[in-house]
């Protein structure tokens, strides 16, 4: 299963040739995407600089396609689960290859499993840190109660 599939986006959305995920618009301004996805204009321009998005230009205005919108959705989903922009771009770029479906699914599956391992390790570390912090809170609260009860 690819990143696009997980995000509820079809291959047609990503390559711009088919129906999208419910939004009937075919083109979007930078402001449209900024509002819809709650990202800054600077973020969108940064993603463009990183070749994650490729809006066309009409004068000074950027015009984003459904493909750009779908790719933005995938970028944000990928970031949310901890992928780097480089990893996200690598997976998205496989859509441009002839056998992109198979290659992209293999790469995505490998990356997803690796990321699950990373997040599981982080989860264990966080749980341990929370346990230690709770114990410390108990100790400090106990010491404070003693000080307050003893008047000193």
């Amino acid at each position: 299963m690819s990143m696009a599939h997980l995000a509820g986006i079809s291959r047609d959305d990503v390559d711009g040739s088919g129906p999208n995920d419910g939004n009937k618009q075919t083109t979007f301004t930078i402001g449209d995407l900024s509002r819809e996805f709650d990202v800054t204009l600077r973020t969108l321009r940064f993603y463009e600089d990183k070749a994650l998005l490729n809006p066309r230009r009409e004068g000074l205005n950027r015009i984003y396609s459904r493909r750009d919108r779908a790719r933005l959705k995938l970028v944000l989903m990928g970031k949310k689960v901890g992928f780097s922009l480089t990893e996200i771009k690598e997976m998205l770029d496989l859509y441009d290859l002839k056998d992109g479906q198979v290659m992209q699914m293999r790469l995505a599956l490998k990356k997803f499993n690796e990321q699950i391992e990373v997040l599981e390790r982080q989860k264990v570390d966080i749980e341990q840190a929370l346990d230690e912090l709770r114990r410390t809170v108990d100790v400090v609260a106990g010491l404070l109660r003693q000080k307050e009860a003893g008047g000193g």
Side-chain angles (χ1 to χ4, degrees), residues 2 11 94-95 97-106:
S2 67
R11 180 176 176 82
L94 286 173
Y95 273 103
L97 301 177
K98 294 272 188 245
D99 66 344
Q101 284 290 326
V102 171
M103 285 186 68
Q104 201 242 10
M105 283 190 264
R106 282 185 187 144

Side-chain angles (χ1 to χ4, degrees), residues 109-144:
L109 187 59
K110 179 179 180 285
K111 297 262 186 210
F112 292 164
N113 283 322
E114 289 170 356
Q115 190 61 20
I116 287 169
E117 290 174 18
V118 166
L119 293 173
E120 290 289 349
R121 284 192 305 271
Q122 288 176 348
K123 181 181 172 185
V124 168
D125 292 344
I126 289 169
E127 289 297 332
Q128 288 173 346
L130 286 169
D131 289 344
E132 290 174 23
L133 191 53
R134 286 183 185 111
R135 283 192 298 273
T136 302
V137 165
D138 290 343
V139 169
V140 172
L143 291 171
L144 180 59

